[in-house]
Coordinates of all heavy atoms in Angstrom, one line a residue:
L1 N 25.4 100.8 -142.5 CA 26.8 100.6 -142.5 C 27.6 101.5 -141.5 O 28.8 101.3 -141.3 CB 27.4 100.7 -143.9 CG 26.9 99.6 -144.9 CD1 27.4 99.9 -146.3 CD2 27.2 98.2 -144.4
H2 N 26.9 102.6 -141.1 CA 27.6 103.5 -140.2 C 27.9 102.9 -138.8 O 27.0 102.2 -138.3 CB 26.7 104.8 -140.0 CG 27.4 105.9 -139.4 ND1 27.6 106.0 -138.0 CD2 27.9 107.0 -140.0 CE1 28.2 107.1 -137.8 NE2 28.4 107.8 -138.9
P3 N 29.0 103.1 -138.3 CA 29.4 102.4 -137.1 C 28.6 102.8 -135.8 O 28.7 102.1 -134.9 CB 30.9 102.8 -136.9 CG 31.1 104.0 -137.7 CD 30.1 103.9 -138.9
K4 N 27.9 103.9 -135.9 CA 27.1 104.3 -134.7 C 25.7 103.9 -134.8 O 24.8 104.2 -134.0 CB 27.2 105.9 -134.6 CG 28.6 106.3 -134.2 CD 28.6 107.8 -134.0 CE 30.1 108.3 -133.7 NZ 30.1 109.7 -133.6
V5 N 25.3 103.2 -135.9 CA 23.9 102.7 -136.1 C 23.8 101.2 -135.9 O 24.5 100.5 -136.6 CB 23.4 103.1 -137.5 CG1 22.1 102.6 -137.8 CG2 23.5 104.7 -137.7
L6 N 22.9 100.8 -135.0 CA 22.7 99.4 -134.8 C 21.6 98.9 -135.7 O 21.8 97.8 -136.3 CB 22.3 99.2 -133.3 CG 22.0 97.7 -132.9 CD1 23.3 96.9 -133.0 CD2 21.5 97.7 -131.5
D7 N 20.6 99.7 -135.9 CA 19.4 99.2 -136.8 C 18.8 100.5 -137.3 O 18.8 101.6 -136.7 CB 18.4 98.4 -135.9 CG 17.5 97.5 -136.8 OD1 17.7 97.5 -138.0 OD2 16.7 96.9 -136.2
V8 N 18.2 100.3 -138.5 CA 17.5 101.5 -139.2 C 16.4 101.0 -140.0 O 16.4 99.9 -140.5 CB 18.6 102.2 -140.0 CG1 19.1 101.4 -141.2 CG2 18.0 103.6 -140.5
A9 N 15.4 101.9 -140.1 CA 14.2 101.7 -141.0 C 14.0 103.0 -141.7 O 14.0 104.0 -141.1 CB 13.0 101.2 -140.2
V10 N 13.7 102.9 -143.0 CA 13.4 104.1 -143.8 C 12.0 103.9 -144.4 O 11.8 102.9 -145.1 CB 14.5 104.3 -144.9 CG1 14.2 105.5 -145.7 CG2 15.9 104.4 -144.2
I11 N 11.2 104.9 -144.3 CA 9.8 104.8 -144.8 C 9.5 106.1 -145.5 O 10.2 107.1 -145.3 CB 8.8 104.5 -143.7 CG1 8.7 105.6 -142.7 CG2 9.1 103.2 -143.1 CD1 7.5 105.5 -141.8
G12 N 8.4 106.1 -146.3 CA 7.8 107.3 -146.8 C 6.7 107.8 -145.9 O 5.9 107.0 -145.5
I13 N 6.7 109.1 -145.7 CA 5.7 109.7 -144.9 C 5.0 110.8 -145.7 O 5.6 111.3 -146.6 CB 6.2 110.3 -143.5 CG1 7.2 111.4 -143.8 CG2 6.8 109.2 -142.6 CD1 7.6 112.2 -142.6
P14 N 3.8 111.1 -145.4 CA 3.1 112.2 -146.1 C 3.8 113.5 -146.1 O 4.3 113.9 -145.1 CB 1.7 112.3 -145.4 CG 1.5 111.0 -144.8 CD 2.9 110.5 -144.4
D15 N 3.8 114.2 -147.3 CA 4.4 115.5 -147.4 C 3.6 116.4 -148.2 O 3.1 115.9 -149.3 CB 5.8 115.4 -148.0 CG 6.6 116.7 -148.1 OD1 7.2 117.1 -147.1 OD2 6.4 117.3 -149.2
E16 N 3.2 117.6 -147.7 CA 2.3 118.5 -148.5 C 2.9 118.9 -149.8 O 2.1 118.9 -150.8 CB 2.0 119.7 -147.7 CG 1.0 119.4 -146.5 CD 0.6 120.6 -145.8 OE1 0.7 121.7 -146.3 OE2 0.2 120.5 -144.6
K17 N 4.1 119.2 -149.9 CA 4.7 119.6 -151.1 C 5.0 118.5 -152.1 O 4.7 118.7 -153.3 CB 6.0 120.4 -150.8 CG 6.7 121.0 -152.0 CD 7.9 121.8 -151.7 CE 8.5 122.5 -152.9 NZ 9.7 123.2 -152.6
W18 N 5.6 117.4 -151.7 CA 6.0 116.4 -152.6 C 5.2 115.2 -152.6 O 5.4 114.2 -153.4 CB 7.5 116.0 -152.2 CG 8.4 117.1 -152.3 CD1 9.0 117.7 -151.2 CD2 8.9 117.8 -153.4 NE1 9.8 118.8 -151.6 CE2 9.8 118.8 -153.0 CE3 8.7 117.7 -154.8 CZ2 10.4 119.7 -153.8 CZ3 9.4 118.5 -155.7 CH2 10.2 119.5 -155.2
G19 N 4.2 115.1 -151.7 CA 3.3 113.9 -151.6 C 3.9 112.9 -150.7 O 3.1 112.4 -149.9
E20 N 5.2 112.7 -150.7 CA 5.8 111.8 -149.8 C 7.3 112.2 -149.5 O 7.9 112.7 -150.5 CB 5.8 110.3 -150.3 CG 6.1 109.3 -149.3 CD 5.8 107.9 -149.9 OE1 6.5 107.5 -150.8 OE2 4.9 107.2 -149.3
A21 N 7.7 112.0 -148.3 CA 9.1 112.4 -147.9 C 9.8 111.2 -147.3 O 9.1 110.3 -146.7 CB 9.1 113.6 -147.0
V22 N 11.1 111.2 -147.3 CA 11.9 110.1 -146.8 C 12.1 110.3 -145.3 O 12.6 111.4 -144.9 CB 13.2 109.9 -147.5 CG1 14.0 108.8 -146.9 CG2 13.0 109.7 -149.0
K23 N 11.8 109.4 -144.4 CA 12.0 109.5 -143.0 C 12.7 108.3 -142.5 O 12.4 107.1 -142.9 CB 10.6 109.6 -142.3 CG 10.7 109.6 -140.8 CD 10.9 111.0 -140.4 CE 10.6 111.2 -138.9 NZ 10.4 112.5 -138.5
A24 N 13.8 108.5 -141.7 CA 14.6 107.4 -141.1 C 14.3 107.2 -139.6 O 14.2 108.2 -138.9 CB 16.0 107.6 -141.4
F25 N 14.2 106.0 -139.2 CA 14.1 105.7 -137.8 C 15.4 104.9 -137.4 O 15.6 103.9 -138.0 CB 12.9 104.9 -137.5 CG 11.6 105.6 -137.7 CD1 11.0 105.7 -138.9 CD2 11.0 106.3 -136.6 CE1 9.8 106.4 -139.1 CE2 9.8 107.0 -136.8 CZ 9.3 107.0 -138.1
V26 N 16.2 105.5 -136.6 CA 17.5 105.0 -136.3 C 17.6 104.5 -134.8 O 17.3 105.3 -133.9 CB 18.6 106.1 -136.6 CG1 20.0 105.6 -136.2 CG2 18.6 106.5 -138.0
Q27 N 18.1 103.3 -134.7 CA 18.5 102.8 -133.4 C 20.0 102.9 -133.2 O 20.7 102.1 -133.9 CB 18.0 101.3 -133.2 CG 18.3 100.7 -131.9 CD 17.8 99.3 -131.8 OE1 17.1 98.8 -132.6 NE2 18.3 98.6 -130.8
P28 N 20.5 103.8 -132.4 CA 21.9 103.9 -132.3 C 22.6 102.7 -131.5 O 21.9 102.0 -130.8 CB 22.1 105.2 -131.4 CG 20.8 105.8 -131.3 CD 19.7 104.8 -131.6
V29 N 23.8 102.5 -131.7 CA 24.6 101.5 -131.0 C 24.5 101.9 -129.5 O 24.6 103.1 -129.2 CB 26.1 101.5 -131.5 CG1 27.0 100.7 -130.6 CG2 26.1 101.0 -132.9
P30 N 24.5 101.0 -128.6 CA 24.4 101.3 -127.2 C 25.7 102.1 -126.8 O 26.8 101.9 -127.3 CB 24.5 99.9 -126.5 CG 23.9 99.0 -127.5 CD 24.3 99.5 -128.8
G31 N 25.4 103.2 -126.0 CA 26.4 104.1 -125.6 C 26.6 105.3 -126.5 O 27.3 106.3 -126.1
I32 N 25.9 105.3 -127.6 CA 26.0 106.5 -128.6 C 24.7 107.4 -128.2 O 23.6 106.9 -128.2 CB 25.9 106.1 -130.0 CG1 27.1 105.2 -130.4 CG2 25.8 107.2 -131.0 CD1 28.5 105.9 -130.2
R33 N 25.0 108.7 -128.0 CA 24.0 109.6 -127.7 C 23.3 110.2 -128.9 O 24.0 110.8 -129.8 CB 24.6 110.8 -126.9 CG 23.6 111.8 -126.4 CD 24.3 112.9 -125.6 NE 23.4 113.3 -124.6 CZ 23.4 113.0 -123.3 NH1 24.3 112.2 -122.9 NH2 22.5 113.5 -122.5
P34 N 22.0 109.9 -129.1 CA 21.3 110.4 -130.2 C 21.0 111.9 -130.1 O 21.0 112.4 -128.9 CB 20.0 109.6 -130.2 CG 19.8 109.3 -128.8 CD 21.1 109.1 -128.2
G35 N 20.9 112.6 -131.2 CA 20.6 114.0 -131.2 C 20.9 114.7 -132.5 O 21.3 114.0 -133.5
P36 N 20.8 116.0 -132.6 CA 21.0 116.7 -133.8 C 22.4 116.5 -134.4 O 22.6 116.4 -135.6 CB 20.8 118.2 -133.4 CG 20.0 118.2 -132.2 CD 20.3 116.9 -131.5
G37 N 23.4 116.4 -133.5 CA 24.8 116.2 -134.0 C 24.9 114.8 -134.7 O 25.5 114.8 -135.8
L38 N 24.4 113.8 -134.1 CA 24.4 112.5 -134.8 C 23.6 112.5 -136.1 O 24.0 111.9 -137.1 CB 23.9 111.4 -133.9 CG 23.9 109.9 -134.4 CD1 25.3 109.6 -134.9 CD2 23.4 108.9 -133.4
A39 N 22.4 113.2 -136.1 CA 21.6 113.2 -137.3 C 22.4 113.9 -138.4 O 22.4 113.5 -139.5 CB 20.3 114.0 -137.0
G40 N 23.1 115.0 -138.1 CA 23.9 115.7 -139.1 C 25.0 114.8 -139.6 O 25.3 114.8 -140.8
E41 N 25.6 114.1 -138.7 CA 26.7 113.2 -139.1 C 26.2 112.1 -140.0 O 26.8 111.8 -141.1 CB 27.3 112.5 -137.9 CG 28.4 111.6 -138.1 CD 29.0 111.0 -136.8 OE1 28.9 111.6 -135.8 OE2 29.6 109.8 -136.9
L42 N 25.0 111.6 -139.8 CA 24.4 110.5 -140.6 C 24.0 111.1 -142.0 O 24.3 110.4 -143.0 CB 23.2 109.9 -139.9 CG 23.5 109.1 -138.6 CD1 22.2 108.6 -138.0 CD2 24.5 108.0 -138.9
R43 N 23.5 112.3 -142.0 CA 23.1 112.9 -143.3 C 24.4 113.1 -144.2 O 24.4 112.8 -145.4 CB 22.4 114.2 -143.1 CG 20.9 114.0 -142.8 CD 20.2 115.3 -142.8 NE 19.0 115.2 -142.1 CZ 18.8 115.5 -140.8 NH1 19.9 116.1 -140.1 NH2 17.7 115.3 -140.2
G44 N 25.5 113.6 -143.5 CA 26.7 113.8 -144.3 C 27.3 112.5 -144.8 O 27.7 112.4 -145.9
Y45 N 27.2 111.4 -144.0 CA 27.6 110.1 -144.4 C 26.8 109.6 -145.6 O 27.4 109.1 -146.6 CB 27.4 109.2 -143.2 CG 27.9 107.7 -143.4 CD1 29.2 107.3 -143.3 CD2 26.9 106.8 -143.8 CE1 29.6 106.0 -143.5 CE2 27.3 105.4 -144.0 CZ 28.6 105.1 -143.8 OH 29.0 103.8 -144.0
L46 N 25.5 109.8 -145.6 CA 24.7 109.4 -146.6 C 24.9 110.2 -147.9 O 24.9 109.7 -149.0 CB 23.2 109.4 -146.2 CG 22.8 108.4 -145.2 CD1 21.4 108.7 -144.7 CD2 22.9 107.0 -145.7
R47 N 25.1 111.5 -147.8 CA 25.3 112.3 -149.0 C 26.5 111.9 -149.8 O 26.5 112.1 -151.0 CB 25.4 113.8 -148.5 CG 24.1 114.5 -148.4 CD 24.4 116.0 -148.2 NE 23.4 116.5 -147.2 CZ 23.6 116.8 -146.0 NH1 24.8 116.7 -145.5 NH2 22.7 117.1 -145.2
D48 N 27.5 111.3 -149.1 CA 28.7 110.9 -149.9 C 28.4 109.5 -150.5 O 29.2 109.0 -151.3 CB 29.8 110.7 -148.9 CG 30.3 112.0 -148.4 OD1 30.1 113.0 -149.0 OD2 31.0 112.0 -147.3
R49 N 27.3 108.8 -150.2 CA 27.1 107.5 -150.7 C 25.8 107.2 -151.5 O 25.8 106.3 -152.3 CB 27.0 106.5 -149.5 CG 28.4 106.4 -148.9 CD 28.4 105.8 -147.5 NE 29.7 105.6 -147.0 CZ 30.5 106.6 -146.5 NH1 30.1 107.8 -146.5 NH2 31.7 106.3 -146.1
I50 N 24.8 108.1 -151.4 CA 23.6 107.9 -152.2 C 23.2 109.3 -152.8 O 23.7 110.3 -152.4 CB 22.4 107.3 -151.3 CG1 22.1 108.3 -150.2 CG2 22.8 106.0 -150.8 CD1 20.8 107.8 -149.4
A51 N 22.2 109.2 -153.7 CA 21.7 110.4 -154.4 C 21.1 111.3 -153.3 O 20.5 110.9 -152.4 CB 20.7 110.0 -155.4
H52 N 21.3 112.6 -153.5 CA 20.9 113.6 -152.5 C 19.4 113.6 -152.2 O 19.0 113.8 -151.1 CB 21.2 115.0 -152.9 CG 20.4 115.6 -154.0 ND1 20.5 115.2 -155.3 CD2 19.4 116.5 -154.0 CE1 19.6 115.8 -156.1 NE2 18.9 116.6 -155.3
Y53 N 18.5 113.2 -153.2 CA 17.1 113.2 -152.9 C 16.7 112.0 -152.1 O 15.6 111.9 -151.6 CB 16.3 113.2 -154.2 CG 16.5 112.1 -155.2 CD1 15.7 110.9 -155.1 CD2 17.5 112.1 -156.1 CE1 15.9 109.8 -155.9 CE2 17.7 111.0 -157.0 CZ 16.9 109.9 -156.9 OH 17.1 108.8 -157.7
K54 N 17.6 111.0 -151.9 CA 17.3 109.8 -151.1 C 17.7 110.0 -149.7 O 17.3 109.2 -148.8 CB 18.0 108.6 -151.7 CG 17.5 108.2 -153.1 CD 18.2 106.9 -153.5 CE 17.6 106.5 -154.9 NZ 18.3 105.2 -155.3
V55 N 18.5 111.0 -149.4 CA 18.9 111.3 -148.0 C 17.7 111.7 -147.2 O 17.0 112.7 -147.6 CB 20.0 112.4 -147.9 CG1 20.3 112.7 -146.5 CG2 21.2 111.9 -148.7
P56 N 17.4 111.1 -146.1 CA 16.2 111.4 -145.3 C 16.3 112.8 -144.7 O 17.4 113.2 -144.2 CB 16.2 110.4 -144.1 CG 17.1 109.3 -144.6 CD 18.1 109.9 -145.5
R57 N 15.2 113.6 -144.9 CA 15.2 114.9 -144.3 C 14.9 114.8 -142.8 O 15.5 115.6 -142.0 CB 14.1 115.8 -144.9 CG 14.4 116.2 -146.3 CD 13.4 117.1 -146.8 NE 13.7 117.5 -148.2 CZ 13.2 118.5 -148.8 NH1 12.3 119.2 -148.2 NH2 13.5 118.7 -150.1
G58 N 14.2 113.8 -142.4 CA 13.9 113.6 -141.0 C 14.5 112.3 -140.5 O 14.5 111.3 -141.1
I59 N 15.1 112.4 -139.3 CA 15.7 111.3 -138.7 C 15.2 111.3 -137.2 O 15.4 112.2 -136.5 CB 17.2 111.3 -138.7 CG1 17.8 111.2 -140.1 CG2 17.8 110.2 -137.8 CD1 19.3 111.3 -140.2
D60 N 14.5 110.2 -136.9 CA 14.0 110.0 -135.5 C 14.9 108.9 -134.9 O 15.1 107.9 -135.5 CB 12.5 109.6 -135.4 CG 11.6 110.7 -135.7 OD1 12.0 111.8 -135.9 OD2 10.4 110.4 -135.7
F61 N 15.3 109.1 -133.7 CA 16.0 108.1 -132.9 C 15.1 107.3 -132.0 O 14.3 107.9 -131.3 CB 17.2 108.8 -132.1 CG 18.2 109.4 -133.0 CD1 18.2 110.7 -133.2 CD2 19.1 108.6 -133.7 CE1 19.1 111.3 -134.1 CE2 20.1 109.2 -134.5 CZ 20.1 110.5 -134.7
V62 N 15.2 106.0 -132.1 CA 14.3 105.1 -131.3 C 15.2 104.2 -130.5 O 16.3 103.8 -130.9 CB 13.3 104.4 -132.2 CG1 12.4 105.3 -132.9 CG2 14.1 103.5 -133.2
P63 N 14.7 103.8 -129.3 CA 15.5 102.8 -128.5 C 15.5 101.5 -129.2 O 16.4 100.7 -129.0 CB 14.8 102.8 -127.2 CG 13.5 103.5 -127.3 CD 13.5 104.3 -128.6
Q64 N 14.4 101.1 -129.9 CA 14.3 99.8 -130.6 C 13.3 99.9 -131.6 O 12.2 100.5 -131.4 CB 13.9 98.7 -129.6 CG 14.0 97.4 -130.1 CD 13.9 96.3 -129.1 OE1 13.7 96.6 -127.9 NE2 14.0 95.0 -129.5
L65 N 13.5 99.3 -132.8 CA 12.6 99.3 -133.9 C 11.6 98.1 -133.6 O 11.9 97.1 -133.1 CB 13.3 99.1 -135.2 CG 14.1 100.2 -135.7 CD1 15.0 99.8 -136.9 CD2 13.3 101.4 -136.0
P66 N 10.3 98.4 -134.0 CA 9.3 97.3 -133.8 C 9.5 96.2 -134.7 O 9.5 96.4 -136.0 CB 8.0 98.1 -134.0 CG 8.3 99.2 -134.9 CD 9.7 99.6 -134.6
R67 N 9.5 95.0 -134.2 CA 9.7 93.8 -135.0 C 8.8 92.7 -134.5 O 8.4 92.6 -133.4 CB 11.1 93.3 -135.0 CG 12.1 94.3 -135.7 CD 13.5 93.7 -135.9 NE 14.4 94.6 -136.6 CZ 14.5 94.7 -137.9 NH1 13.8 94.0 -138.7 NH2 15.3 95.6 -138.4
T68 N 8.5 91.8 -135.4 CA 7.7 90.6 -135.0 C 8.7 89.6 -134.3 O 9.9 89.8 -134.4 CB 7.2 89.8 -136.3 OG1 8.2 89.3 -137.0 CG2 6.3 90.7 -137.1
P69 N 8.1 88.6 -133.7 CA 9.0 87.6 -133.0 C 10.0 86.9 -134.0 O 11.1 86.5 -133.5 CB 8.0 86.6 -132.4 CG 6.8 87.3 -132.2 CD 6.7 88.3 -133.3
T70 N 9.7 86.9 -135.3 CA 10.6 86.3 -136.2 C 11.6 87.3 -136.8 O 12.4 87.0 -137.6 CB 9.8 85.6 -137.4 OG1 9.0 86.6 -138.0 CG2 9.0 84.5 -136.9
G71 N 11.5 88.6 -136.4 CA 12.4 89.6 -136.8 C 12.0 90.5 -137.9 O 12.7 91.4 -138.3
K72 N 10.8 90.3 -138.4 CA 10.3 91.2 -139.5 C 10.0 92.6 -139.0 O 9.3 92.7 -138.0 CB 9.0 90.6 -140.2 CG 8.5 91.4 -141.3 CD 7.3 90.8 -142.0 CE 6.8 91.7 -143.1 NZ 5.6 91.2 -143.7
L73 N 10.4 93.6 -139.7 CA 10.2 95.0 -139.3 C 8.7 95.4 -139.5 O 8.1 95.1 -140.5 CB 11.1 95.9 -140.2 CG 11.0 97.4 -139.8 CD1 11.5 97.7 -138.4 CD2 11.8 98.2 -140.8
L74 N 8.1 96.0 -138.5 CA 6.7 96.4 -138.6 C 6.7 97.9 -139.0 O 6.5 98.8 -138.2 CB 6.1 96.2 -137.2 CG 6.0 94.7 -136.8 CD1 5.5 94.6 -135.3 CD2 5.1 94.0 -137.7
K75 N 6.8 98.1 -140.3 CA 6.8 99.5 -140.8 C 5.5 100.2 -140.6 O 5.5 101.4 -140.4 CB 7.2 99.5 -142.3 CG 8.6 99.2 -142.5 CD 9.0 99.4 -144.0 CE 10.5 99.2 -144.2 NZ 10.9 99.5 -145.6
G76 N 4.4 99.5 -140.5 CA 3.1 100.1 -140.3 C 3.1 100.8 -138.9 O 2.5 101.9 -138.8
Q77 N 3.7 100.3 -137.9 CA 3.8 101.0 -136.6 C 4.5 102.3 -136.7 O 4.2 103.2 -136.1 CB 4.4 100.0 -135.6 CG 3.5 98.9 -135.1 CD 4.0 98.1 -134.0 OE1 5.0 98.5 -133.4 NE2 3.5 97.0 -133.8
L78 N 5.6 102.3 -137.6 CA 6.3 103.5 -137.7 C 5.5 104.6 -138.5 O 5.5 105.7 -138.2 CB 7.6 103.2 -138.5 CG 8.6 102.3 -137.7 CD1 9.8 102.0 -138.6 CD2 9.1 102.9 -136.4
R79 N 4.8 104.1 -139.5 CA 3.9 105.0 -140.3 C 2.8 105.6 -139.5 O 2.4 106.8 -139.6 CB 3.3 104.3 -141.5 CG 4.3 104.1 -142.7 CD 3.6 103.6 -143.9 NE 4.6 103.1 -144.8 CZ 5.0 101.9 -144.9 NH1 4.4 100.9 -144.2 NH2 5.9 101.5 -145.8
D80 N 2.3 104.8 -138.5 CA 1.2 105.3 -137.7 C 1.6 106.5 -136.9 O 0.7 107.3 -136.5 CB 0.7 104.1 -136.7 CG 0.0 103.1 -137.5 OD1 -0.4 103.3 -138.7 OD2 -0.3 102.0 -137.0
R81 N 2.9 106.7 -136.6 CA 3.3 107.8 -135.8 C 3.1 109.1 -136.6 O 3.2 110.2 -136.0 CB 4.8 107.7 -135.5 CG 5.1 106.5 -134.6 CD 6.6 106.4 -134.3 NE 6.9 105.3 -133.5 CZ 8.1 105.0 -133.0 NH1 9.1 105.9 -133.2 NH2 8.3 104.0 -132.3
H82 N 2.9 109.1 -137.9 CA 2.8 110.3 -138.7 C 1.4 110.4 -139.4 O 1.3 111.1 -140.3 CB 3.9 110.2 -139.8 CG 5.2 110.4 -139.3 ND1 5.7 111.6 -138.8 CD2 6.2 109.4 -138.9 CE1 6.9 111.4 -138.3 NE2 7.2 110.1 -138.4
R83 N 0.4 109.8 -138.8 CA -0.9 110.0 -139.4 C -1.7 110.9 -138.5 O -1.5 111.2 -137.5 CB -1.6 108.6 -139.5 CG -1.0 107.8 -140.5 CD -1.8 106.5 -140.8 NE -1.2 105.9 -141.9 CZ -1.4 104.6 -142.2 NH1 -2.2 103.9 -141.5 NH2 -0.8 104.1 -143.2

C-alpha cells in the first residue's frame, strides 16, 4: 500500500538465531531511487501498521519480481538467493 512500492514479496529465510527471518523483496515505483533511506521509510511505515516482529529486517530492492507468464510469484527463485 505504500505509494513508492510497485510490487513486493515477503518470504522467510534461514536465520541462525531464530530459525527463520522475514525478508522483503521490493520493486519500487519507476523513478523512485532504492536504498537505505527508502528501506528505513518502509520499515517505519510498517511499524505503524503491523506487529513489530512481522516487520522485515532485510529489504532487498529488485528491478522486477520473478513471475510466471500467468502472474504467479516464483518465491522459490527468491529463496534460492539465500541458500
Side-chain angles (χ1 to χ4, degrees):
L1 297 175
H2 192 280
K4 294 181 182 177
V5 175
L6 181 64
D7 201 2
V8 65
V10 180
I11 63 169
I13 61 167
D15 182 86
E16 288 185 21
K17 184 176 182 181
W18 303 106
E20 196 170 66
V22 181
K23 177 84 167 199
F25 293 86
V26 175
Q27 180 182 344
V29 168
I32 298 298
R33 183 179 211 102
L38 180 56
E41 181 180 332
L42 295 176
R43 281 191 201 92
Y45 180 84
L46 291 170
R47 276 190 216 102
D48 292 342
R49 288 162 177 78
I50 63 175
H52 74 285
Y53 65 89
K54 293 182 179 181
V55 175
R57 289 188 181 191
I59 297 178
D60 284 358
F61 294 101
V62 295
Q64 188 169 2
L65 291 171
R67 293 190 179 273
T68 66
T70 59
K72 181 178 178 185
L73 183 64
L74 296 170
K75 287 188 175 183
Q77 287 186 13
L78 297 174
R79 282 189 194 97
D80 289 345
R81 296 180 184 190
H82 292 281
R83 288 188 176 164

